[in-house]
Amino acid sequence: MTKTIWVLDGPNLNFLGIREPEVYGNRSYQDLKDTLQAYCANKNIALVHRQSNHEGQLVDWIQEAYYQKADGLILNAGAYTHTSIALYDALMAIGIACVEVHLSDPKKREDFRKTSYLSSACVKTISGLGFESYLKAIDFLYERSSV
Ligand code: DQA
């Protein structure tokens, strides 16, 4: 049976390949989208992949994932990771397994990135592996019995 996984990306992730390549690499956001779609193509996974620079839009999509009965969620909230009680509340509200992902490892960067408001609302955090962080999150959700 096909499982549906939603990937939601937050602010500035659309600038991959432009922003700080020494931190985030040279590949573009379109490359990330293509990589994840190709990864899921051979599996029984339907991927919904969206990006927004706006916190409220991300809240709306988390709620939409609930109504659409998503089987799992992957969230790279970008800088909202370190600030957003609204995203934490949205994740707590929906009761769908969510994996927090990051391309870089925020714990090894500036102090203000060391706190995640979202980790405790997520079943797992995967950081510092570039695009591979997302692929591991897909595998994790796919292999979970609830997905
Ligand atoms: C990020 C890490 C965050 O601290 C930062 O604000 C981002 C990207 C990452 O994927 O490494 O925008 O979430």
Side-chain angles (χ1 to χ4, degrees):
M1 191 178 145
T2 302
K3 302 296 178 186
T4 305
I5 295 176
W6 284 48
V7 180
L8 299 180
D9 286 319
N12 299 306
L13 285 156
N14 55 317
F15 258 45
L16 284 184
I18 301 169
R19 71 183 298 206
E20 301 173 90
E22 66 287 359
V23 176
Y24 298 110
N26 291 306
R27 287 185 289 176
S28 69
Y29 190 65
Q30 189 60 50
D31 291 337
L32 175 64
K33 291 181 76 165
D34 292 346
T35 299
L36 300 196
Q37 290 294 350
Y39 193 69
C40 292
N42 302 328
K43 301 176 167 50
N44 254 349
I45 302 175
L47 199 66
V48 176
H49 194 173
R50 297 179 183 172
Q51 186 275 334
S52 176
N53 293 326
H54 303 278
E55 185 177 18
Q57 177 66 82
L58 294 166
V59 171
D60 285 347
W61 285 340
I62 290 169
Q63 293 181 0
E64 189 183 335
Y66 169 82
Y67 285 121
Q68 299 288 333
K69 302 190 190 324
D71 295 296
L73 198 63
I74 295 169
L75 177 61
N76 184 350
Y80 292 138
T81 304
H82 317 298
T83 63
S84 181
I85 298 169
L87 289 175
Y88 169 84
D89 284 347
L91 293 176
M92 292 300 287
I94 62 169
I96 296 171
C98 181
V99 178
E100 174 189 5
V101 302
H102 300 284
L103 296 154
S104 68
D105 185 351
K107 301 257 184 278
K108 295 188 177 152
R109 299 178 61 194
E110 302 96 325
D111 281 350
F112 60 80
R113 295 184 203 279
K114 292 193 171 122
T115 300
S116 168
Y117 280 64
L118 308 180
S119 297
S120 60
C122 292
V123 293
K124 196 176 176 65
T125 299
I126 303 174
S127 301
L129 304 174
F131 287 9
E132 189 69 23
S133 294
Y134 290 79
L135 302 183
K136 285 196 181 309
I138 290 168
D139 286 344
F140 176 82
L141 287 172
Y142 189 62
E143 283 157 20
R144 264 174 71 102
S145 52
S146 61
V147 168

